Amino acid sequence: DPNHMTLSLTNNSDDFTVFAPTGDVLVFDTYPFGSRADHDPGNNSLKTADYDFSLLKDMQTPWWFCTQAYDRAIYRGKLGEAMPTEEQLTALPLLAAIYNAKGFYYFSYHAIFEKGNQVDPKHSEKMWPRVASSGKLLSRLAPYLLSDKVAPKVTVKNIKNTIRVRRFIADNNKEVVLVVSILPQKAEATFTLPAGKKYKSLTNRTVKTQNNTWKFTADAISYDVLIEE
């Protein structure tokens, strides 16, 4: 239909090649963060998502990401041992952006304000700020993520855990660098950025050590955004 954009959504990476030709944009959803209170608690890791995102990037098909914005246990009428953290809820879509996702949905408002508040009347007060923080950051990054400019690759030396790093260049030639640790354990990595540019860390998890080398550290799944000043 030339008058209406069509989105084809799947949560199964085995379906990518089948679903992609059926619409203008392929949408993928995955919700890895959960707890024992849920019958299917997820793996609380970004390793599988990282692999699935890499398949989408290799396909070179336009794709958007439907990211997690709820506590999986809520759909069983329970509270999880711990809600997904702001770091987890932000690291997941940032990892998708590293692999070329250009649009984002959040699932779901209903799970927070309707089903969540039925289980805990204060659930939305706790959960919504975490989701809103993630969405606000993605909106701030839009000029970089949607730019057609191609930034050089970043070489990463993983010391602990697995880190993904990517530079983005906006139309005004300013850069951001996205950094995501994908495993639920301590992370440490170094990478080099261009000389002559000044970057500011959004989360203070990345520091400049010497010359143009930067070091990222985290205790679990986490992220940072380096913004060129």
Side-chain angles (χ1 to χ4, degrees), residues 30 36 40 45 48 56 70-71 73 84 93 98 102 115 127 145 152 171 176 196 207 209 217:
T30 185
R36 291 188 302 275
D40 179 15
S45 167
T48 300
L56 288 164
Y70 72 106
D71 181 348
I98 287 174
K102 298 299 182 182
K115 301 188 75 66
M127 191 67 177
L145 304 185
D171 290 339
V176 296
V207 296
T209 56
T217 56

Side-chain angles (χ1 to χ4, degrees), residues 129-140:
R130 306 178 189 202
V131 175
S133 175
S134 172
K136 184 178 180 180
L137 177 57
L138 283 177
S139 294
R140 181 179 178 182

